[in-house]
Amino acid sequence: MKNIRIVLPLVLLWALSSIGQNTGIIPQPLRVDLKDGKYIITSKTSIISDGPNLENASYLQGLLKVEYQKELKIKRKGGKGIILTLNPKLAQKLGEEGYVLKVDNSAISISAGTTTGVFYGIISLRQLIGEDSKNGNLSISGISIEDSPRFGWRAFMLDEGRYFKGTQQVKKLLDQMTLLKMNVFHWHLTDDQGWRLEIKKYPKLTEVGSTRNNSQIGGWDSVERSNTPHHGYYTQEEVKDIIAYADERQITIIPEIEMPGHASAAIAAYPWLGTIGEIKEVPTVFGKLPDSFNVSDPRVYEFLENVLSEVMELFPSNIIHIGGDEVKFEAWKSSEEIQNFINDNGLTSPADLHIFFTNRISNYLNQNGHRMMGWNEILGENVHEWQEPTDMEVKKSLAKNTLVHFWKGNLDLVSKAVEEGYDIVNSYHEYTYLDYSYKSIPLEKAYSFDPIPEGLEERFHDKIIGSGCQMWGEWIPEASDMEKMVFPRLAAYAEVGWTSKTKKDYSVFRSNLNQLLIRWRSQGISLPDKFEKVNFEEKK
């Protein structure tokens, strides 16, 4: 589908440049200078690449062919055209993902310290291209951009434990992440209501755990059911294909394998994994379910290590997310076996046992060259009103190399965690949960999110490595339901992660967003009704 560009008069662009860059680029670049002139891309234009950037050149070649039906040749050196080059000095100045993009009458040049930086320069170029309706040539107005991201971790999470979406939809999301320079796809693959990843050693995880015979609809306390079964999982070959697709787009995939809670689908497949012993099939209701892995049983640790071994072999990232959230301690408290385990290991409470378990998993991952990531309950802090204070008394402390994913609790907990040495990805739910309505998190509120909490001492700012936005899946059975929640808020979160705080401007963002909304409409992406007008003004 061809990209349609909204072209503002050059004089207006110059006037606006003093308060923001209305270039149409999202996320907004660090520095922009608008120049006279423009470069015309015709069928005779060449892509000129140095050796390291040949993959980038091929990506740009394919992009122009698919979106504009322009088949450009790639040359290794010499001449004018679209020039892709490495400049090692830029890595020191702009980091691993920064780039310089220049457009004038004679050429387009993209240079960076790494091939990743050149790739992001190509993505910015993609958003600048306009099409001449008279002759079909492509034009880019004169411009000079120097750009680099604020944070190195810019994530989108898709929960498929609740509703399986499939390869085509995942690739569609990866494409939009690419357009927005988001670089981490957090893939939530297991939960109470479904196990979505083939594990060869334990085939029942998908034979049993990937299917439920019904689904709750209508909200958390609803007695309504869909009266239809739901099924789906990814083979390891399908996962490898998706990983390769993401890698071509500079996106790292972080798998999430939930433990010790949110484990009902696994327990349905292998009942000896559970604590209560009552789960006979994959649950059909959503919410915080009572059972969790029996963490006093050596067989459970053997099972989890075997599962994680296959996950580590499959996913090239050295980070594995183990969830760790919303563990209902009643199952452990009522189990004589687990209470004996707590006493035998000198632990004080269920929360202490939670940390003990989490550290054991962390040690296993570390021994195999991987780092553990988990939701911030793994710190042992009480962030839920339904937890008893006595259950949260702890002596253990979480392994220090853990990457803590903050989502809930007092924001002071972030300060406490970084002071104790932990790295944080900030996904505070009141700003970043895409399953929340637009009334709870309107576009402007999403845009206003700052991963660095107000008042955090500057010496700890580098401990906040980035942010994520989460599309939890309980109430999104169809892809169109999901898209209406994700888009256009995904663009706001992209700018949260990339754009310097000093350059953020919501009015500029909304202006730049217009052409992106047109692109999404043309691609058949479902948008909320409030963005249905031609000028895409939000309805009050």
Side-chain angles (χ1 to χ4, degrees):
M1 189 65 67
K2 294 184 179 180
N3 179 29
I4 302 171
R5 185 179 179 220
I6 298 173
V7 182
L8 293 174
L10 187 60
V11 173
L12 178 57
L13 283 173
W14 274 105
L16 290 171
S17 64
S18 62
I19 58 173
Q21 288 77 31
N22 290 68
T23 60
I25 297 176
I26 293 178
Q28 188 175 157
L30 186 62
R31 283 180 285 276
V32 175
D33 290 318
L34 301 169
K35 305 290 187 179
D36 291 330
K38 62 182 177 180
Y39 186 80
I40 305 299
I41 299 176
T42 72
S43 57
K44 296 181 180 180
T45 302
S46 296
I47 301 171
I48 302 160
S49 173
D50 58 14
N53 278 298
L54 286 176
E55 286 189 12
N56 279 330
S58 179
Y59 180 83
L60 176 59
Q61 182 186 51
L63 186 154
L64 292 172
K65 181 178 180 180
V66 170
E67 294 198 354
Y68 300 103
Q69 294 74 54
K70 295 292 184 187
E71 297 192 40
L72 305 189
K73 293 182 179 179
I74 297 174
K75 295 182 178 180
R76 290 293 299 271
K77 58 183 178 179
K80 297 289 186 178
I82 305 173
I83 305 166
L84 311 179
T85 58
L86 285 188
N87 180 350
K89 293 181 180 179
L90 289 177
Q92 300 174 8
K93 182 179 181 181
L94 298 175
E96 295 293 307
E97 298 178 297
Y99 64 92
V100 174
L101 167 64
K102 294 182 178 180
V103 180
D104 59 28
N105 289 328
S106 61
I108 296 171
S109 68
I110 301 172
S111 57
T114 68
T115 55
T116 300
V118 172
F119 180 84
Y120 286 132
I122 290 171
I123 298 306
S124 288
L125 175 65
R126 180 184 186 183
Q127 293 193 45
L128 290 171
I129 292 174
E131 189 166 10
D132 189 327
S133 60
K134 293 182 179 179
N135 55 28
N137 289 332
L138 308 179
S139 65
I140 302 94
S141 298
I143 199 167
S144 176
I145 297 175
E146 189 174 286
D147 198 11
S148 63
R150 183 185 181 195
F151 296 103
W153 184 287
R154 306 177 301 280
F156 166 74
M157 188 210 83
L158 178 65
D159 164 22
E160 291 199 81
R162 278 51 181 256
Y163 281 101
F164 178 77
K165 293 297 184 291
T167 297
Q168 183 177 356
Q169 189 61 42
V170 168
K171 288 183 176 180
K172 187 176 180 181
L173 289 165
L174 291 170
D175 284 339
Q176 303 314 314
M177 289 178 64
T178 303
L179 185 66
L180 295 166
K181 303 187 181 78
M182 301 182 83
N183 64 350
V184 176
F185 179 56
H186 173 183
W187 206 0
H188 187 90
L189 287 165
T190 75
D191 217 293
D192 289 308
Q193 296 78 22
W195 186 284
R196 308 299 179 198
L197 175 64
E198 177 190 24
I199 299 296
K200 295 184 182 298
K201 191 173 183 66
Y202 300 104
K204 287 185 179 180
L205 287 173
T206 47
E207 290 173 3
V208 175
S210 68
T211 301
R212 61 177 185 268
N213 61 28
N214 213 332
S215 299
Q216 183 182 27
I217 58 175
W220 296 109
D221 299 318
S222 174
V223 297
E224 292 185 76
R225 299 292 182 265
S226 66
N227 297 320
T228 57
H230 183 76
H231 168 79
Y233 69 91
Y234 295 96
T235 67
Q236 292 195 7
E237 288 305 309
E238 288 171 328
V239 169
K240 290 176 183 177
D241 174 61
I242 290 171
I243 289 170
Y245 192 85
D247 185 63
E248 290 173 355
R249 288 152 180 78
Q250 307 297 323
I251 295 172
T252 299
I253 298 182
I254 305 296
E256 181 176 353
I257 309 299
E258 276 276 10
M259 61 187 78
H262 287 291
S264 298
I267 296 170
Y270 298 97
W272 51 267
L273 292 169
T275 302
I276 299 174
E278 296 178 352
I279 294 177
K280 306 300 181 183
E281 60 182 16
V282 176
T284 61
V285 297
F286 301 118
K288 307 170 187 68
L289 301 189
D291 209 356
S292 58
F293 289 129
N294 180 355
V295 297
S296 67
D297 189 340
R299 295 180 301 167
V300 172
Y301 289 99
E302 181 183 6
F303 166 83
L304 292 172
E305 289 176 0
N306 287 335
V307 167
L308 290 171
S309 178
E310 290 195 34
V311 171
M312 286 186 286
E313 181 69 24
L314 186 59
F315 289 88
S317 166
N318 68 343
I319 296 173
I320 305 294
H321 202 303
I322 57 95
D325 58 308
E326 297 181 329
V327 181
K328 300 285 282 187
F329 289 148
E330 282 72 17
W332 289 353
K333 289 162 66 176
S334 61
S335 167
E336 183 178 352
E337 181 182 351
I338 286 189
Q339 289 305 306
N340 290 336
F341 186 84
I342 287 174
N343 293 331
D344 291 346
N345 286 276
L347 305 174
T348 62
S349 68
D352 220 21
L353 174 60
H354 190 190
I355 295 175
F356 173 91
F357 163 81
T358 304
N359 284 348
R360 180 162 172 176
I361 297 299
S362 175
N363 289 338
Y364 177 73
L365 292 173
N366 292 165
Q367 290 166 8
N368 288 275
H370 285 68
R371 184 182 188 187
M372 184 184 70
M373 182 176 185
W375 302 105
N376 63 291
E377 286 99 324
I378 60 177
L379 286 165
E381 302 283 356
N382 191 353
V383 299
H384 298 291
E385 66 283 353
W386 40 267
Q387 298 283 36
E388 296 291 338
T390 54
D391 293 342
M392 306 305 298
E393 296 173 359
V394 298
K395 291 192 301 184
K396 294 284 183 183
S397 60
L398 183 67
K400 293 299 182 184
N401 70 336
T402 302
L403 181 52
V404 176
H405 200 170
F406 183 80
W407 78 280
K408 188 172 178 64
N410 191 303
L411 287 171
D412 290 342
L413 294 178
V414 175
S415 297
K416 181 180 178 183
V418 297
E419 288 170 5
E420 292 176 355
Y422 298 102
D423 291 329
I424 300 287
V425 172
N426 193 349
S427 293
Y428 188 45
H429 70 109
E430 291 187 8
Y431 284 84
T432 71
Y433 270 28
L434 287 159
D435 57 315
Y436 290 9
S437 70
Y438 280 82
K439 183 177 180 180
S440 297
I441 306 180
L443 184 62
E444 188 168 7
K445 181 177 180 180
Y447 186 83
S448 72
F449 179 57
D450 189 348
I452 297 178
E454 186 176 356
L456 182 66
E457 291 185 52
E458 189 171 352
R459 62 194 176 105
F460 294 122
H461 284 193
D462 63 351
K463 301 296 286 183
I464 311 295
I465 68 169
S467 63
C469 56
Q470 291 67 232
M471 184 64 260
W472 294 107
E474 290 91 341
W475 315 116
I476 56 163
E478 304 297 334
S480 59
D481 301 324
M482 176 198 66
E483 289 175 354
K484 288 178 181 179
M485 303 304 287
V486 171
F487 303 100
R489 288 186 292 190
L490 189 67
Y493 295 123
E495 199 143 302
V496 165
W498 182 281
T499 301
S500 167
K501 189 176 180 180
T502 61
K503 301 295 289 187
K504 284 183 67 182
D505 184 317
Y506 182 70
S507 63
V508 173
F509 167 76
R510 282 296 286 116
S511 177
N512 288 336
L513 183 63
N514 283 340
Q515 71 182 66
L516 190 54
L517 290 166
I518 292 172
R519 174 191 288 269
W520 285 335
R521 286 287 190 193
S522 71
Q523 293 176 340
I525 290 174
S526 299
L527 296 171
D529 291 342
K530 66 172 64 180
F531 294 96
E532 68 185 0
K533 289 186 176 182
V534 174
N535 61 2
F536 299 106
E537 292 179 356
E538 289 180 83
K539 297 176 182 177
K540 302 298 182 184

